Amino acid sequence: MSAQAAPDENAASTLRAETIPAFRMAQIMLVLVGAQAQGSKLDLERLSVIEFLSANPFLVVDEDSPASNQLRLQGFGRHSITYASPSQRFVSRRERVTSDIAQLVAFGLVQLTVHEGQRVFTVTESGQQAADSLYSVYADAYRLSVATVIPIVMKLSSPKMRERLETWLRVDPVLFDLFDSPTLDEFESEASGLPPRDMLF
């Protein structure tokens, strides 16, 4: 009889951090904190783009740049984007952003505000405290990646960002409609169905 791995071993070998809601929401908070530190305000579309690219910085950072070397020292590697196509992963992650940000708003960690005629997301005081309490090797590496990716994305207009995204994600436009971005209507629909705030961290 051939040996079989125990069920918990199989689960551990296939579990990915991005499947855990608390992990995804922590990344979103670090993005929003990083954006506020640079004086940037993020709408839902830019938030979803920056959050994904910060987890996969070598999609946008030149391999031989000083920033690339710093990211490698923090533990980032190109292997993280090879097991599935970047465009597939982005679509999958983007589908979860709306519900994750709605949860954070319900928890009182993030708020929806208006800035220069746009509805944007910012962390609350409680959210800032929660983000500051995130201590780990990955959290520090992700903060560095966020600080690197935000200027690259924020200098682009929305149309230009979408155009560059096709290049960054190596997308086949026939297969992926990447720019059917999550909408605030979807966010409000998600938020309306959530229970009153309950602290996540």
Side-chain angles (χ1 to χ4, degrees):
M1 180 181 295
S2 61
Q4 292 184 347
D8 58 339
E9 292 178 357
N10 286 332
S13 67
T14 58
L15 178 67
R16 299 197 64 84
E18 61 262 31
T19 66
I20 303 172
F23 177 84
R24 300 195 307 266
M25 287 186 270
Q27 285 197 156
I28 288 174
M29 291 182 58
L30 291 177
V31 169
L32 291 175
V33 168
Q36 288 178 209
Q38 295 192 27
S40 299
K41 307 287 186 181
L42 304 183
D43 60 16
L44 196 56
E45 181 181 17
R46 288 184 185 271
L47 172 60
S48 64
V49 170
I50 292 172
E51 190 267 350
F52 179 80
L53 293 178
S54 295
N56 303 278
F58 291 114
L59 291 173
V60 295
V61 176
D62 185 77
E63 190 171 356
D64 299 321
S65 66
S68 178
N69 293 332
Q70 290 182 344
L71 289 166
R72 284 196 187 90
L73 289 174
Q74 288 289 337
F76 278 100
R78 298 191 65 84
H79 65 278
S80 64
I81 61 174
T82 59
Y83 79 94
S85 76
S87 52
Q88 288 176 314
R89 292 187 64 192
F90 177 73
V91 170
S92 176
R93 176 65 190 107
R94 185 196 61 188
E95 290 173 350
R96 292 171 169 168
V97 167
T98 303
S99 60
D100 290 343
I101 196 72
Q103 288 276 2
L104 288 169
V105 171
F107 294 148
L109 300 174
V110 171
Q111 61 187 350
L112 179 63
T113 62
V114 176
H115 176 72
E116 296 182 350
Q118 279 192 313
R119 291 191 285 181
V120 298
F121 294 94
T122 59
V123 291
T124 62
E125 183 177 348
S126 295
Q128 180 73 57
Q129 292 173 355
D132 290 344
S133 73
L134 297 172
Y135 292 108
S136 71
V137 172
Y138 180 78
D140 289 342
Y142 192 75
R143 287 184 177 99
L144 174 62
S145 188
V146 167
T148 303
V149 169
I150 284 176
I152 297 173
V153 174
M154 294 305 295
K155 71 181 181 181
L156 303 173
S157 65
S158 292
K160 189 65 175 178
M161 179 188 69
R162 294 166 189 149
E163 179 182 324
R164 291 295 300 276
L165 194 56
E166 289 189 18
T167 301
W168 290 332
L169 300 181
R170 308 158 196 171
V171 63
D172 180 352
V174 175
L175 297 178
F176 300 102
D177 181 15
L178 291 179
F179 306 127
D180 181 18
S181 301
T183 67
L184 283 167
D185 288 340
E186 291 171 348
F187 158 75
E188 290 167 350
S189 176
E190 289 280 353
S192 66
L194 293 173
R197 68 177 57 179
D198 181 20
M199 294 306 295
L200 174 65
F201 299 98

